[in-house]
Amino acid sequence: MFWNVAAVKTPATRGATVLRLLRAGLSSHYPPEAQEGKMNVVTKRHGTIMTIGINRPEARNAVNSETASQLVKSFTAFDKDASLTAAVLYGVGGNFCAGYDLKELAHNAGSIKLEQDVTKGPGPMGPSRMQFSKPVIAAVSGYAVAGGLELSLLADLRVVEQSAVFGVFCRRFGVPLIDGGTVRLPKLIGLSRALDLILTGRPISAQEAYEFGIANRVVQDGQALHHAIELAKEISSFPQRCMNLDRASAYYSTFEAHSFIEAMQYETENSIQAVMEESVPGARRFKSGEGRSVKF
């Protein structure tokens, strides 16, 4: 796990909507995790999968300094635990995340502890500068805006509910994207579409997010967390070393490699490690008849 973002191996709505977003009360969807205590982040194991839930539904899961710290601790524990194969990030109470808690910022301008050297500490939203050795999936419901959009981009994949809304809503309040949004978003969806969102601050629906390439799956409302866990289990069923080496190579070629040759060289040197460990045993399973009718 590292902090360097640059080395990562991710109808018009007015300001009143954002204020309602920050001030509104609890959603009608309120999973049991939210009642287990006052932790701003709740975690749970599902076999080899860890779910990490932002638990501030009264603030549409806006992240304050304490929540950011708890998110870092949760993701650090996930990445260090060799028995875990994937994590799912979600928001308790029907919304993914409304960004940084502007109420906290208004009351205390020093609440954002911004380490300017991205190699030395977390971002304002917490884990936004981190990179992981295994997959992270975001289960997005309701609003994923401003810093919440940036947190969703931290994930490898995003499972999005039909009524979800993405957007750089912080544009209206003079809050910059300082949690990787200007880095990951253009790489993910291309500069032209990224600038459409970054410059206008407009909301986009789950369908448009899917067409842009932000959303990988669109599911019925209330089903994102379930589908994300199932997706995490699916990818965890594959030989893990090979898959994670391929994952690392894809990130390297996207964010770090300076040339096609450099990316190809990394892929070759990186992938060869898995040949004896997983490829040869896999070839023997194939020879015995396993997986021949495209059955996984």
Side-chain angles (χ1 to χ4, degrees), residues 97-135:
C97 176
Y100 194 82
D101 191 338
L102 296 185
K103 290 183 179 179
E104 180 179 78
L105 182 60
H107 291 144
N108 179 13
S111 63
I112 292 184
K113 298 177 176 61
L114 180 59
E115 171 57 64
Q116 294 190 41
D117 186 340
V118 298
T119 67
K120 293 183 177 179
M125 295 291 292
S128 54
R129 296 173 178 174
M130 297 173 74
Q131 55 188 129
F132 308 106
S133 60
K134 44 198 172 183

Side-chain angles (χ1 to χ4, degrees), residues 196-208:
D196 184 351
L197 302 183
I198 292 170
L199 296 181
T200 69
R202 71 182 181 89
I204 64 170
S205 66
Q207 182 58 40
E208 189 171 9

Side-chain angles (χ1 to χ4, degrees), residues 237-243 273-292 295-296:
S237 68
F238 298 126
Q240 291 295 288
R241 184 159 177 76
C242 175
M243 185 192 72
Q273 303 173 46
V275 172
M276 294 305 297
E277 183 177 334
E278 292 182 342
S279 301
V280 172
R284 289 171 180 160
R285 293 200 312 273
F286 177 80
K287 182 179 179 181
S288 69
E290 182 180 332
R292 289 192 180 179
K295 293 180 181 179
F296 290 86

Side-chain angles (χ1 to χ4, degrees), residues 169-188:
F169 283 15
C170 51
R171 180 59 56 238
R172 299 167 174 84
F173 299 104
V175 180
L177 295 171
I178 49 178
D179 283 275
T182 65
V183 178
R184 291 192 178 97
L185 191 61
K187 287 290 189 180
L188 185 67

Side-chain angles (χ1 to χ4, degrees), residues 119-220:
T119 67
K120 293 183 177 179
M125 295 291 292
S128 54
R129 296 173 178 174
M130 297 173 74
Q131 55 188 129
F132 308 106
S133 60
K134 44 198 172 183
V136 174
I137 299 172
V140 179
S141 57
Y143 286 95
V145 297
L149 167 61
E150 292 181 288
L151 280 185
S152 77
L153 300 177
L154 173 71
D156 300 274
L157 301 171
R158 282 150 295 280
V159 178
V160 178
E161 294 183 3
Q162 290 175 336
S163 64
V165 175
F166 293 89
V168 185
F169 283 15
C170 51
R171 180 59 56 238
R172 299 167 174 84
F173 299 104
V175 180
L177 295 171
I178 49 178
D179 283 275
T182 65
V183 178
R184 291 192 178 97
L185 191 61
K187 287 290 189 180
L188 185 67
I189 65 176
L191 181 60
S192 179
R193 283 176 164 171
L195 287 175
D196 184 351
L197 302 183
I198 292 170
L199 296 181
T200 69
R202 71 182 181 89
I204 64 170
S205 66
Q207 182 58 40
E208 189 171 9
Y210 180 76
E211 293 168 357
F212 270 24
I214 296 175
N216 299 95
R217 309 279 194 281
V218 177
V219 300
Q220 293 182 345

Side-chain angles (χ1 to χ4, degrees), residues 232-240:
K233 290 179 179 178
E234 177 184 334
I235 64 179
S236 295
S237 68
F238 298 126
Q240 291 295 288

Side-chain angles (χ1 to χ4, degrees), residues 27 29-35 40 42 53-58 60-61 90-96 141:
S27 166
H29 302 291
Y30 204 103
E33 295 97 315
Q35 303 175 30
N40 291 347
V42 291
I54 305 173
N55 186 26
R56 299 190 73 222
E58 72 284 354
R60 291 291 197 255
N61 293 320
Y90 71 103
V92 173
N95 287 284
F96 182 73
S141 57

